């Protein structure tokens, strides 16, 4: 109880631990509260970034716009400048022309007409000039002469006769377009005068400010070139220039129309506004071209300098766009597009994170549920343990009462029934234990035992469990174990039994007619045989059987078709034949390979309903049945096969099956056992579990059976009892064998002791009385002194047949199948009346063995409870042990003070003051000290023989729970026995420590 | 009917045996005893012919002492030594399961559960029940041993005849 409470507690603790340990969460989950904020931040970031993108692209566009403007402006400025230069050059050329032909030639080669014509014809060279004129320098002294020569007076710009001046510059030659200025004094105009003065000082082309030209409303500038009378020195001074000046050639540039003309030729004229300024006086720029009022895009302006060739004057071209920069749609669209994508991305991320959070939440929930489910599972296991414990208790009562019953005087069948009931009860208890083990299988903690056991008796037991049911259903249940399979193998009998029970149980459940055959062969043997399907006929006699049993459709046990035809007689014959050959040829061969392992192949064949093809691949899945109707019709949970599979795999084998619907299934599995070294005490133990009488050794039997497989199975059972058996396929043949009196087979020197007849053969032979008559004939002929006993073998028999059988002389001698060696033995005993005595003598074997182990041993029993002490002492004394008692751990320590004479110690665990664990620890400590001393120094107290002190200490405990057992072993105990002593349990615990002695008292 | 004990007539061996079996079966059926008692009986043989009764007598002796102690512990008003009580109960439980006194043992289990919870009222109730069960067991076993004794005597009477 205490332990139970503790374990509950530990479950709770485990649950908490798991909850704590599994709380690992992802980053996203930790910051799940921030998700929405993060999404908003993300959105803001998107807005900002898209704004930046927009700005960037917009700036780019502006830059490009500016570059375009600069390019256009510069291009215009350059063109204007070039055109201007060309015109200036031409005027220069005209100036040279005038100086050449007017002054250097005498008389002058130019007059007004020539000049006018020439200039008119070359005006295309000067597109910028509205016209050119030549004005001669006339000093005041020469005025009169000049006026006389030309016949007109010098006039001012206002067309009045010029007042008196130092100098005059009247126009003498003029192009026709400006003929109206002839005779006008150029010096009278303010701009012209300045121009003239500067021109003659510098000797270069000189420009005026822009002003409204005479005769037109356009703005314009006047270009003035000086014309010198004589060739100038290479570096003339200003005075020299003024001195040499003969006149001035001038031309008016109509800048406005010219520029307009020029711009009209260029692309993109409409887009930009061009202004040209004279910025000689930087503070007051003068407009040369363009409108004074500011229109167009004022934000973007480009200025280009224009050099018209006059170093004194500076000009500038200012360009700007006509229209304001258009909205940058591309940038806007790009930014919007980016923002949309960014938002979508953010939303997707948010969605993902949200999903992660949800999944994590679910995961946590699941985790919690899982932990709970696991806790529930543990609780279930505990419940199972408790319940099965509770079931075990009444079962023990049943078993006890059965044991009492068996002690009373019972008739042979009654005894058999009672024993069967007891066996079944024991099997049930074992099954309950197996249910307990299921938890272990699930936890993967199953440990396999390795104890020697008798394979055949285990199989017998299993079959006997199902014998009633199979008999009831009328199906034949049979067992065949190959002779080559060792009698005793080392392995886990419980598990092996569990597997077989399960498979046979399934077969019985699903089979309504036909047979169930369990076969055990050596794996390599059967495999080799399956591989090489050589048709070798070892035994001609057996061939004969096949020929005779042609009536059967299939050569199986019952004649029904089986799923795996490998198991039919064809293969079976070889196995049996081969076996016979081997055992005949070399009896010692089996023991040759005494060491190592032996791999067995076990087949369970049935002729049941089979497994539907669609369900075949999930046969081994736990809780899987073919369909829901299966459990309705047949019951069961469907866990059996999965457990079997686990167990087989644990045993180092494989399980598989062949199944055909409506034909049957054959499950076969391989399993590896250890070979048993032939050791005395194991033999004793085994003979206890397989107590077949030996009274029938050497008796001869004839078996009449038409079906060879069945015959082989029957012979196997008879052989185990030591009978020598011959097979006849029909009664006639059997009679012939008896009649020939040994001439047929050398083994039969005389008449057989018994004739076993299969019911089918007997019915089919038709003449029921025939056999008896024939036998009687034999007797009368004096062949034999004693009639062989007749025994009928039957699976099921109805009342009619029973009567018939009785009439035919099988009064008490019907053996009901399935055959078991022990049952056959019991029947034969009844029939032959032998072997009863010897059988009785054997029954005491188990306790005598225990007795041989314990007899004369000195054993200390430590228990604080007087009753328990007394019971334990009584139990041990019964087996001849010399028992001494101690009522507490302290007393035990004193008694076990070295050196002592005890052979073993049984120690209670729960004791006041000093419990069993503590006492054991102290004893072990004491022993190890003594061992050290004796090993290191001289031997103590003359006991030289015992070098190592180690007294076997066995715990006595009421609750055999694994934890307790583990603790027992941990603190130095050697084993444990559950408290109410039980022979088997005691044997298992004690057998480890004591060698079997020969029987001290017989 | 004769006034003489049956065994003196030397006829009742089988009948006594049947009585014993019936009594045992009844006790098993009621759950008073379990299979451990059978085990105990199996330990009895020629070398120690009175083994069972010997053990059971020890059991009675010990148990009465324990019951007295328990009663004493519980009757104390300011009682708090549940640990000691648990130890007594463990003892009682151990010896009861050793002789197979199943019902007594089960009551002990309940008793101990109550004592572990420091439930005084529960302990008192359990003690009453325990005393009751114990008395019942004691009476029945006494009856059983009486029959056994008669049987042995009857067997002795019959002994020469059988031989």
């Amino acid at each position: 109880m205490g332990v139970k409470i503790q374990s509950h507690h530990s479950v709770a603790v485990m649950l908490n631990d798991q909850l704590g340990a599994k709380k690992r969460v992802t980053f996203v989950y930790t910051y799940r509260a921030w998700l929405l904020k993060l999404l908003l931040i993300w959105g803001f970031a998107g807005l900002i970034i898209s704004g930046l993108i927009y700005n960037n692209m917009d700036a780019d566009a502006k830059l490009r716009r500016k570059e375009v403007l600069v390019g256009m402006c510069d291009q215009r400025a350059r063109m204007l400048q070039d055109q201007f230069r060309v015109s200036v050059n031409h005027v220069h050329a005209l100036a040279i022309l005038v100086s050449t032909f007017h002054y250097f030639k005498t008389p002058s080669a130019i007059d007004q007409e020539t000049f006018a014509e020439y200039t008119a014809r070359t005006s295309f060279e000067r597109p910028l000039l509205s016209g050119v004129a030549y004005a001669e320098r006339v000093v005041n002294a020469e005025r009169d002469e000049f006026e006389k020569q030309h016949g007109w007076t010098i006039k001012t710009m206002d067309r009045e006769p010029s007042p008196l001046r130092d100098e005059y510059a009247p126009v003498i030659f003029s192009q026709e377009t400006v003929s109206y200025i002839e005779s006008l004094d150029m010096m009278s105009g303010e701009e012209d005068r300045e121009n003239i003065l500067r021109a003659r000082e510098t000797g270069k082309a000189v420009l005026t400010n822009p002003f409204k030209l005479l005769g037109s409303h356009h703005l314009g500038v006047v270009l003035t070139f000086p014309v010198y009378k004589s060739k100038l020195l290479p570096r003339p001074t200003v005075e020299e220039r003024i001195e040499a000046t003969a006149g001035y050639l001038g031309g008016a540039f109509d800048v406005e129309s010219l520029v307009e003309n020029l711009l009209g030729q260029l692309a993109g004229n409409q887009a930009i506004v061009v202004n040209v300024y004279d910025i000689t006086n930087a503070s007051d720029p003068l407009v040369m071209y363009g409108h004074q009022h500011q229109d167009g895009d004022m934000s973007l302006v480009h200025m280009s300098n224009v050099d018209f060739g006059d170093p004194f004057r500076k000009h500038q071209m200012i360009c700007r766009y006509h229209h304001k920069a258009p909205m940058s749609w591309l940038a806007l669209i790009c930014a919007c597009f980016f923002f949309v994508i960014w938002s979508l991305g953010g939303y997707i991320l948010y969605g993902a994170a949200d999903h992660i959070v949800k999944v994590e939440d679910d995961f946590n929930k699941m985790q919690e549920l899982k932990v709970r489910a696991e806790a529930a599972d543990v609780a279930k296991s505990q419940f199972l343990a408790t319940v099965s414990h509770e079931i075990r208790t009444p079962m023990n009562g049943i078993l006890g009462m059965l044991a009492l019953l068996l002690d009373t005087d019972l008739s042979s069948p009654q005894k058999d029934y009672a024993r069967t009931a007891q066996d079944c009860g024991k099997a049930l208890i074992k099954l309950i234990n197996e249910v307990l083990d299921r938890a272990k299988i699930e936890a993967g903690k199953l440990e396999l035992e390795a104890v020697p056991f008798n394979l055949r008796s285990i199989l017998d037991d299993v079959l006997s469990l199902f014998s009633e049911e199979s008999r009831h259903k009328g199906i034949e249940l049979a067992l065949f174990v190959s002779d080559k399979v060792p009698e005793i193998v080392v392995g886990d009998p419980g598990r092996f039994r569990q597997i077989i029970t399960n498979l046979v149980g399934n077969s019985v459940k699903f089979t309504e007619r036909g047979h169930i055959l369990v076969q055990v062969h050596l794996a390599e043997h059967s495999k080799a045989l399956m591989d090489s399907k050589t048709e070798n006929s070892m035994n001609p006699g057996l061939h004969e059987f096949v020929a005779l049993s042609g009536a059967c459709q299939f050569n199986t046990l019952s004649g029904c078709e089986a799923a795996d035809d490998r198991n039919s007689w064809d293969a079976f014959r070889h196995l049996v034949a081969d076996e016979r050959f081997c055992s005949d040829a070399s009896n010692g061969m089996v023991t040759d390979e005494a060491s190592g392992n032996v791999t067995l192949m076990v087949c369970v064949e049935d002729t049941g309903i089979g497994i539907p093809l669609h369900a075949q691949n999930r046969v081994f899945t736990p809780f899987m049945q073919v369909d829901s109707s299966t459990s309705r019709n047949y019951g069961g949970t469907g866990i059996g096969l999965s457990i079997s599979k686990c167990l087989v795999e644990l045993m180092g084998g494989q399980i598989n099956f062949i199944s055909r619907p409506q034909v049957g299934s054959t499950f076969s599995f391989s399993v590896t056992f250890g070979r048993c070294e032939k050791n005395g005490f194991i033999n004793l133990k085994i003979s206890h579990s397989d107590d077949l009488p030996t009274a029938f050794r050497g008796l001869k039997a004839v078996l009449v059976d038409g079906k060879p497989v069945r015959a082989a199975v029957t012979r196997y059972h008879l052989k185990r009892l030591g009978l020598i058996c011959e097979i006849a396929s029909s009664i006639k043949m059997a009679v012939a064998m008896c009649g020939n009196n040994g001439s047929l087979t050398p083994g039969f020197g005389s008449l057989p002791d018994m004739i076993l007849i299969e019911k089918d053969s007997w019915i089919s032979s038709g003449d029921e009385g025939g056999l008896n008559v024939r036998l009687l004939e034999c007797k009368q002929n004096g062949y034999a002194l004693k009639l062989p006993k007749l025994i009928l073998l039957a699976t099921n028999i109805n009342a009619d047949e029973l009567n018939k059988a009785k009439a035919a002389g099988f009064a008490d001698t019907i053996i009901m199948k399935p055959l078991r060696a022990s049952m056959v033995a019991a029947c034969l005993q009844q029939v032959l009346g032998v072997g009863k005595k010897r059988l009785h003598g054997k029954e005491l074997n188990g306790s005598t063995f225990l007795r041989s182990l314990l007899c004369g041993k000195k054993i200390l029993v430590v228990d604080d409870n007087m009753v328990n002490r007394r019971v334990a002492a009584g139990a041990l004394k019964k087996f001849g042990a010399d028992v001494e008692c101690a009522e507490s751990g302290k007393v035990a320590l004193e008694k076990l003070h070295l050196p002592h004479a005890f052979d073993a110690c049984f120690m209670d665990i729960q004791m006041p003051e000093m419990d069993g664990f503590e006492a054991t620890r102290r004893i072990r400590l004491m022993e190890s000290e003594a061992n050290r001393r004796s090993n290191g120094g001289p031997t103590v107290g003359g006991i030289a023989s015992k070098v190592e002190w180690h007294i076997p200490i066995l715990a006595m405990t009421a609750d055999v729970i694994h934890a307790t057992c583990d603790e027992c072993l941990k603190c130095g105990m050697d084993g444990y026995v559950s408290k109410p002593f039980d022979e088997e349990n005691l044997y298992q615990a004690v057998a480890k420590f004591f060698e079997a002695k020969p029987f001290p008292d017989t | 009917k004769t006034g003489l004990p049956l065994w003196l007539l030397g006829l009742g061996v089988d009948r006594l045996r049947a009585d014993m079996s019936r009594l045992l079966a009844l006790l098993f059926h009621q759950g008073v005893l379990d299979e451990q008692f059978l085990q105990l009986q199996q330990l009895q043989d020629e070398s120690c012919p009175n083994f069972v009764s010997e053990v059971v007598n020890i059991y009675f002796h010990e148990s009465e002492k324990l019951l007295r102690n328990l009663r004493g512990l519980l009757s104390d008003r300011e009682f708090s030594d549940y640990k000691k009580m648990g130890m007594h109960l463990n003892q009682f439980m151990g010896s009861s399961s050793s002789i197979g006194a199943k019902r007594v043992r089960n009551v002990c289990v309940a008793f101990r559960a109550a004592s572990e919870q420091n439930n005084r009222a529960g302990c008192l109730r359990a003690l009453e029940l325990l005393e009751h069960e114990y008395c019942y067991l004691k009476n029945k076993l006494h009856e059983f041993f009486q029959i056994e004794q008669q049987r042995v005597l009857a067997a002795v009477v019959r002994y020469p005849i059988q031989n």
Side-chain angles (χ1 to χ4, degrees), chain A residues 1 396 864-866 868 870 980-981, chain B residues 35-36 39 54 58 91 94-95 98 112:
Chain A
M1 193 72 185
N396 283 331
D864 63 314
N865 194 319
M866 202 197 260
N868 290 357
R870 186 75 191 84
F981 277 5
Chain B
E35 76 278 10
Q36 184 55 31
Q39 296 265 359
E54 192 185 327
I58 299 174
Q91 282 260 4
S95 51
S98 259
R112 196 177 60 176

PDB file of all heavy atoms in Angstrom, chain A residues 1 396 864-866 868 870 980-981, chain B residues 35-36 39 54 58 91 94-95 98 112:
ATOM      1  N   MET A   1       0.834  -1.211   0.000  1.00  0.00           N
ATOM      2  CA  MET A   1       0.000   0.000   0.000  1.00  0.00           C
ATOM      3  C   MET A   1       0.863   1.254   0.000  1.00  0.00           C
ATOM      4  O   MET A   1       0.678   2.158  -0.780  1.00  0.00           O
ATOM      5  CB  MET A   1      -0.867  -0.055   1.266  1.00  0.00           C
ATOM      6  CG  MET A   1      -1.995   0.932   1.261  1.00  0.00           C
ATOM      7  SD  MET A   1      -3.296   0.483   0.128  1.00  0.00           S
ATOM      8  CE  MET A   1      -4.311   1.921   0.283  1.00  0.00           C
ATOM      9  N   ASN A 396      -6.040 -17.951  -6.808  1.00  0.00           N
ATOM     10  CA  ASN A 396      -5.231 -18.791  -5.932  1.00  0.00           C
ATOM     11  C   ASN A 396      -6.121 -19.654  -5.072  1.00  0.00           C
ATOM     12  O   ASN A 396      -5.805 -20.817  -4.794  1.00  0.00           O
ATOM     13  CB  ASN A 396      -4.326 -17.921  -5.067  1.00  0.00           C
ATOM     14  CG  ASN A 396      -3.144 -17.417  -5.857  1.00  0.00           C
ATOM     15  OD1 ASN A 396      -2.715 -18.086  -6.794  1.00  0.00           O
ATOM     16  ND2 ASN A 396      -2.640 -16.260  -5.512  1.00  0.00           N
ATOM     17  N   ASP A 864      10.707  -9.779  12.165  1.00  0.00           N
ATOM     18  CA  ASP A 864      10.265  -9.290  13.462  1.00  0.00           C
ATOM     19  C   ASP A 864       8.922  -9.894  13.849  1.00  0.00           C
ATOM     20  O   ASP A 864       8.562  -9.921  15.007  1.00  0.00           O
ATOM     21  CB  ASP A 864      10.154  -7.761  13.429  1.00  0.00           C
ATOM     22  CG  ASP A 864       9.103  -7.323  12.445  1.00  0.00           C
ATOM     23  OD1 ASP A 864       9.108  -7.870  11.309  1.00  0.00           O
ATOM     24  OD2 ASP A 864       8.291  -6.459  12.784  1.00  0.00           O
ATOM     25  N   ASN A 865       8.200 -10.346  12.848  1.00  0.00           N
ATOM     26  CA  ASN A 865       6.871 -10.880  13.100  1.00  0.00           C
ATOM     27  C   ASN A 865       6.971 -12.353  13.472  1.00  0.00           C
ATOM     28  O   ASN A 865       7.444 -13.172  12.687  1.00  0.00           O
ATOM     29  CB  ASN A 865       6.036 -10.702  11.831  1.00  0.00           C
ATOM     30  CG  ASN A 865       4.587 -10.899  12.105  1.00  0.00           C
ATOM     31  OD1 ASN A 865       4.221 -11.816  12.853  1.00  0.00           O
ATOM     32  ND2 ASN A 865       3.767 -10.068  11.509  1.00  0.00           N
ATOM     33  N   MET A 866       6.502 -12.673  14.663  1.00  0.00           N
ATOM     34  CA  MET A 866       6.714 -14.033  15.164  1.00  0.00           C
ATOM     35  C   MET A 866       6.004 -15.067  14.302  1.00  0.00           C
ATOM     36  O   MET A 866       6.535 -16.123  13.999  1.00  0.00           O
ATOM     37  CB  MET A 866       6.209 -14.122  16.606  1.00  0.00           C
ATOM     38  CG  MET A 866       6.839 -15.265  17.368  1.00  0.00           C
ATOM     39  SD  MET A 866       5.881 -15.601  18.818  1.00  0.00           S
ATOM     40  CE  MET A 866       6.815 -14.800  20.065  1.00  0.00           C
ATOM     41  N   ASN A 868       5.179 -14.835  11.110  1.00  0.00           N
ATOM     42  CA  ASN A 868       5.885 -15.000   9.841  1.00  0.00           C
ATOM     43  C   ASN A 868       7.135 -15.847  10.013  1.00  0.00           C
ATOM     44  O   ASN A 868       7.464 -16.685   9.189  1.00  0.00           O
ATOM     45  CB  ASN A 868       6.294 -13.633   9.285  1.00  0.00           C
ATOM     46  CG  ASN A 868       5.102 -12.846   8.817  1.00  0.00           C
ATOM     47  OD1 ASN A 868       3.988 -13.365   8.858  1.00  0.00           O
ATOM     48  ND2 ASN A 868       5.331 -11.618   8.404  1.00  0.00           N
ATOM     49  N   ARG A 870       7.752 -18.029  12.199  1.00  0.00           N
ATOM     50  CA  ARG A 870       7.415 -19.432  12.436  1.00  0.00           C
ATOM     51  C   ARG A 870       7.039 -20.124  11.117  1.00  0.00           C
ATOM     52  O   ARG A 870       7.456 -21.251  10.860  1.00  0.00           O
ATOM     53  CB  ARG A 870       6.234 -19.499  13.420  1.00  0.00           C
ATOM     54  CG  ARG A 870       5.879 -20.880  13.872  1.00  0.00           C
ATOM     55  CD  ARG A 870       6.903 -21.389  14.890  1.00  0.00           C
ATOM     56  NE  ARG A 870       6.688 -22.806  15.126  1.00  0.00           N
ATOM     57  CZ  ARG A 870       7.171 -23.775  14.359  1.00  0.00           C
ATOM     58  NH1 ARG A 870       7.912 -23.479  13.307  1.00  0.00           N
ATOM     59  NH2 ARG A 870       6.929 -25.039  14.632  1.00  0.00           N
ATOM     60  N   PRO A 980       4.199 -15.036   1.349  1.00  0.00           N
ATOM     61  CA  PRO A 980       3.695 -16.376   1.610  1.00  0.00           C
ATOM     62  C   PRO A 980       4.491 -17.348   0.726  1.00  0.00           C
ATOM     63  O   PRO A 980       4.450 -17.229  -0.493  1.00  0.00           O
ATOM     64  CB  PRO A 980       2.232 -16.279   1.197  1.00  0.00           C
ATOM     65  CG  PRO A 980       1.910 -14.833   1.252  1.00  0.00           C
ATOM     66  CD  PRO A 980       3.175 -14.148   0.870  1.00  0.00           C
ATOM     67  N   PHE A 981       5.275 -18.217   1.350  1.00  0.00           N
ATOM     68  CA  PHE A 981       6.191 -19.071   0.580  1.00  0.00           C
ATOM     69  C   PHE A 981       5.434 -19.971  -0.360  1.00  0.00           C
ATOM     70  O   PHE A 981       4.378 -20.470  -0.046  1.00  0.00           O
ATOM     71  CB  PHE A 981       6.998 -19.971   1.528  1.00  0.00           C
ATOM     72  CG  PHE A 981       8.182 -19.270   2.108  1.00  0.00           C
ATOM     73  CD1 PHE A 981       8.395 -17.926   1.868  1.00  0.00           C
ATOM     74  CD2 PHE A 981       9.090 -19.959   2.892  1.00  0.00           C
ATOM     75  CE1 PHE A 981       9.472 -17.276   2.414  1.00  0.00           C
ATOM     76  CE2 PHE A 981      10.170 -19.317   3.439  1.00  0.00           C
ATOM     77  CZ  PHE A 981      10.363 -17.980   3.212  1.00  0.00           C
TER      78      PHE A 981
ATOM     79  N   GLU B  35      -5.606 -18.669   0.241  1.00  0.00           N
ATOM     80  CA  GLU B  35      -4.856 -19.895  -0.070  1.00  0.00           C
ATOM     81  C   GLU B  35      -3.624 -20.068   0.803  1.00  0.00           C
ATOM     82  O   GLU B  35      -3.074 -21.144   0.909  1.00  0.00           O
ATOM     83  CB  GLU B  35      -4.480 -19.909  -1.555  1.00  0.00           C
ATOM     84  CG  GLU B  35      -3.339 -19.013  -1.935  1.00  0.00           C
ATOM     85  CD  GLU B  35      -3.793 -17.586  -2.134  1.00  0.00           C
ATOM     86  OE1 GLU B  35      -4.958 -17.268  -1.792  1.00  0.00           O
ATOM     87  OE2 GLU B  35      -2.978 -16.804  -2.627  1.00  0.00           O
ATOM     88  N   GLN B  36      -3.219 -18.954   1.422  1.00  0.00           N
ATOM     89  CA  GLN B  36      -2.031 -19.061   2.259  1.00  0.00           C
ATOM     90  C   GLN B  36      -2.263 -20.056   3.406  1.00  0.00           C
ATOM     91  O   GLN B  36      -1.344 -20.740   3.845  1.00  0.00           O
ATOM     92  CB  GLN B  36      -1.686 -17.662   2.805  1.00  0.00           C
ATOM     93  CG  GLN B  36      -0.431 -17.585   3.619  1.00  0.00           C
ATOM     94  CD  GLN B  36       0.771 -18.121   2.845  1.00  0.00           C
ATOM     95  OE1 GLN B  36       0.842 -18.019   1.629  1.00  0.00           O
ATOM     96  NE2 GLN B  36       1.693 -18.736   3.567  1.00  0.00           N
ATOM     97  N   GLN B  39      -1.410 -23.369   2.168  1.00  0.00           N
ATOM     98  CA  GLN B  39       0.048 -23.529   2.137  1.00  0.00           C
ATOM     99  C   GLN B  39       0.543 -23.931   3.528  1.00  0.00           C
ATOM    100  O   GLN B  39       1.393 -24.806   3.675  1.00  0.00           O
ATOM    101  CB  GLN B  39       0.713 -22.208   1.753  1.00  0.00           C
ATOM    102  CG  GLN B  39       0.375 -21.735   0.364  1.00  0.00           C
ATOM    103  CD  GLN B  39       1.433 -22.167  -0.635  1.00  0.00           C
ATOM    104  OE1 GLN B  39       2.410 -22.802  -0.248  1.00  0.00           O
ATOM    105  NE2 GLN B  39       1.202 -21.883  -1.903  1.00  0.00           N
ATOM    106  N   GLU B  54      -0.015 -24.525  16.112  1.00  0.00           N
ATOM    107  CA  GLU B  54       1.059 -23.818  16.802  1.00  0.00           C
ATOM    108  C   GLU B  54       1.198 -22.392  16.266  1.00  0.00           C
ATOM    109  O   GLU B  54       1.171 -21.409  17.018  1.00  0.00           O
ATOM    110  CB  GLU B  54       2.361 -24.596  16.588  1.00  0.00           C
ATOM    111  CG  GLU B  54       3.515 -24.174  17.455  1.00  0.00           C
ATOM    112  CD  GLU B  54       4.761 -24.944  17.028  1.00  0.00           C
ATOM    113  OE1 GLU B  54       4.639 -26.118  16.598  1.00  0.00           O
ATOM    114  OE2 GLU B  54       5.839 -24.349  17.098  1.00  0.00           O
ATOM    115  N   ILE B  58       0.367 -18.779  18.071  1.00  0.00           N
ATOM    116  CA  ILE B  58       1.287 -17.635  18.150  1.00  0.00           C
ATOM    117  C   ILE B  58       0.611 -16.396  17.600  1.00  0.00           C
ATOM    118  O   ILE B  58       0.672 -15.307  18.171  1.00  0.00           O
ATOM    119  CB  ILE B  58       2.590 -17.911  17.367  1.00  0.00           C
ATOM    120  CG1 ILE B  58       3.310 -19.114  17.941  1.00  0.00           C
ATOM    121  CG2 ILE B  58       3.486 -16.695  17.390  1.00  0.00           C
ATOM    122  CD1 ILE B  58       4.509 -19.521  17.116  1.00  0.00           C
ATOM    123  N   GLN B  91       2.784  -4.945  11.452  1.00  0.00           N
ATOM    124  CA  GLN B  91       2.993  -6.240  12.106  1.00  0.00           C
ATOM    125  C   GLN B  91       1.770  -7.128  11.934  1.00  0.00           C
ATOM    126  O   GLN B  91       1.861  -8.274  11.503  1.00  0.00           O
ATOM    127  CB  GLN B  91       3.210  -6.020  13.613  1.00  0.00           C
ATOM    128  CG  GLN B  91       4.575  -5.536  13.971  1.00  0.00           C
ATOM    129  CD  GLN B  91       5.433  -6.681  14.470  1.00  0.00           C
ATOM    130  OE1 GLN B  91       4.981  -7.825  14.456  1.00  0.00           O
ATOM    131  NE2 GLN B  91       6.648  -6.393  14.853  1.00  0.00           N
ATOM    132  N   GLY B  94       1.304  -8.232   8.425  1.00  0.00           N
ATOM    133  CA  GLY B  94       2.259  -9.274   8.040  1.00  0.00           C
ATOM    134  C   GLY B  94       1.845 -10.626   8.577  1.00  0.00           C
ATOM    135  O   GLY B  94       1.790 -11.617   7.824  1.00  0.00           O
ATOM    136  N   SER B  95       1.534 -10.670   9.865  1.00  0.00           N
ATOM    137  CA  SER B  95       1.208 -11.973  10.427  1.00  0.00           C
ATOM    138  C   SER B  95      -0.107 -12.491   9.868  1.00  0.00           C
ATOM    139  O   SER B  95      -0.251 -13.690   9.601  1.00  0.00           O
ATOM    140  CB  SER B  95       1.173 -11.900  11.949  1.00  0.00           C
ATOM    141  OG  SER B  95       0.368 -10.838  12.357  1.00  0.00           O
ATOM    142  N   SER B  98       0.441 -13.941   6.581  1.00  0.00           N
ATOM    143  CA  SER B  98       1.198 -15.182   6.695  1.00  0.00           C
ATOM    144  C   SER B  98       0.296 -16.375   6.985  1.00  0.00           C
ATOM    145  O   SER B  98       0.530 -17.463   6.475  1.00  0.00           O
ATOM    146  CB  SER B  98       2.218 -15.073   7.824  1.00  0.00           C
ATOM    147  OG  SER B  98       3.473 -14.816   7.285  1.00  0.00           O
ATOM    148  N   ARG B 112      -4.787   1.161   8.270  1.00  0.00           N
ATOM    149  CA  ARG B 112      -3.535   1.879   8.078  1.00  0.00           C
ATOM    150  C   ARG B 112      -3.758   3.124   7.223  1.00  0.00           C
ATOM    151  O   ARG B 112      -3.179   4.178   7.466  1.00  0.00           O
ATOM    152  CB  ARG B 112      -2.490   0.980   7.426  1.00  0.00           C
ATOM    153  CG  ARG B 112      -1.103   1.564   7.569  1.00  0.00           C
ATOM    154  CD  ARG B 112      -0.066   0.677   7.002  1.00  0.00           C
ATOM    155  NE  ARG B 112      -0.306   0.446   5.582  1.00  0.00           N
ATOM    156  CZ  ARG B 112       0.512  -0.239   4.811  1.00  0.00           C
ATOM    157  NH1 ARG B 112       1.591  -0.779   5.319  1.00  0.00           N
ATOM    158  NH2 ARG B 112       0.240  -0.419   3.549  1.00  0.00           N
TER     159      ARG B 112
END
